[in-house]
Amino acid sequence: MAKSNKSGEPASVISTRDKSRSLVLCCALFFTLLIYPVLGMVWHHSYPLLSPELGLIVIAAATISFFLSALILSTRSLVTNLVVTLFVTIGLMIQFNLFFEGLTIVFTMGLILGFLLKDRYIEFVLAVFVAMLMGSWLDSRLDPATKLAVLQPEEASSGRGPVIHVLMDGFMAPEGLPWQDESQKLRAEIMSFFKKYGFELHTRAYSHYSSTLNSMTRAFNFTNDDQALFRRAEALREDLAFRDNAWFEVLSDAGYPIHVYQSESVDFCHVATIDQIQCNVFPIPNLKTVNREIDDVRTRLEVLLRTLVSQSEILTKILRNARILDTWGVSIYDERLLPKLTADIQSRPGDAFFSHLLIPHSPFVFTEDCDINYRGESRTRWAYIVGNLASDSESQNRRYEKYIAQSHCAIKLLGQLFDTLITDNLFDKATIIIHGDHGSSAYNHSPHIANFDLLTQRDLLDAFSTLFAVKWPGGESEIIGDVESLNVLMAKMARKFAGHNTGEMINAVTSEPEPFIYLTGMEPLRQIFVNIYGGPDQGRESE
Ligand SMILES: [Zn+2]
């Protein structure tokens, strides 16, 4: 039986005018669907709009839209609607990192609407996506660095010196570094740097955990209640948020308004018990540097497209398994962060400032002098090669070279901050806490239970060794070589900061029987007693 349109005429005699109107509409729709996640991305990252790589994307999207429209308009409207729904689903998957449930809902709703609206479906979807584009354009007009500011200008300060707390992601303890000459130069630099500025430096600190989220949720809550926390790990991972933050409560109770400077990777801003946190969020990756530092348009285009696709975890996984997509290491440390932090300390010197700096964390694109270098093989910029459990020592050496260069840059950035505070007479009265969350992660074997028999002392140091340093107001420098966990060090620091009148939670964790770590993938969870720095508890071979 021949299909008819609404007026009862056979489909083949639709007027040429209707046909060209449908072609224009369909073309506009596919163009909008293709360009929607691209524009969402470039606006979000404030990427320069007038760049040749974006011009190429626009030309490609327009060409694809035209041919696709011409092709599918010759079919029946329900087939057209099916193809449109498929594009809608893929576009939203990339823009909002949708998983299977979300994708199923979008796809099913699209099919139902396509069936109900028939020929009007294209106009409907076009209107929805134009509205969404407007929405994301308006949203991107807000500077991400000040998006969630809630601190009132009249809010009182503590009346004391600033508390400056910097989490330098992946910063190793000096005694955890490899023994090669370059590493030992870095070790000496770390020691003399913290000595020069009057810090108490813990040279053998470590974390029980090899990931940021596990490490910091425990350290900030002075807790070793891992069974409970690991059970909640799924919920934690979902929003990567610190709903409980005992350390921020200590600061808040001491009368300190809190400013947070963070990336989009982990959320420290939304603490259940504190309603006023000045929140600064910096987008990752730092795409603007790609436009600034890479001359080749083809490479810039490739980076943009890879970044676009990697917004969807599902798509990334599929392409990586098919060996089509390899991670391209775009800087995830945003160079605007420290200048913003410094300016805020100068304007409100009685407040507390916490910042999560994604340096010396991979990708290692910063040189010793903090220039960006995107040349060379991108694989060596990552701490570990994704998907490969074991790597060879040659590639590890190359990654450590880059890690060490980037660590010199990290120290240089800290030095600039401290020197500014000295010039402004703020340094002496400041309490400054600097630490990492795990090691360099440049290990040969990842700290996974499946690698239990393969892990060397080097692997354990690469995974768990971490920096911890505190400068008290008017404090003198001190080098402490005890093997202590971040949990204990944070608890002791908080107890000293708040005075004797501190909660049971802080006191409970200030002693741990002996060093232990957790490996990932453990079921059931158990503490592995090992001193990663060697000594009597050392049950493993060193290299
Ligand atoms: Zn980390």
Side-chain angles (χ1 to χ4, degrees), residues 420-429:
T420 309
L421 295 174
I422 290 169
T423 311
D424 294 344
N425 289 322
L426 289 171
F427 190 81
D428 264 355
K429 47 189 168 190

Side-chain angles (χ1 to χ4, degrees), residues 3 8-9 33 67 197 209 219 231 277 282 297 307 310 350 370 412 422 470 480 489 501:
K3 266 267 167 197
E9 295 165 298
L33 289 178
F67 284 108
Y197 289 102
Y209 323 89
R231 271 199 296 277
I277 290 179
F282 294 85
V297 176
T307 307
S310 65
C370 298
K412 193 177 156 182
I422 290 169
V470 192
I480 299 166
L489 290 165
N501 210 5

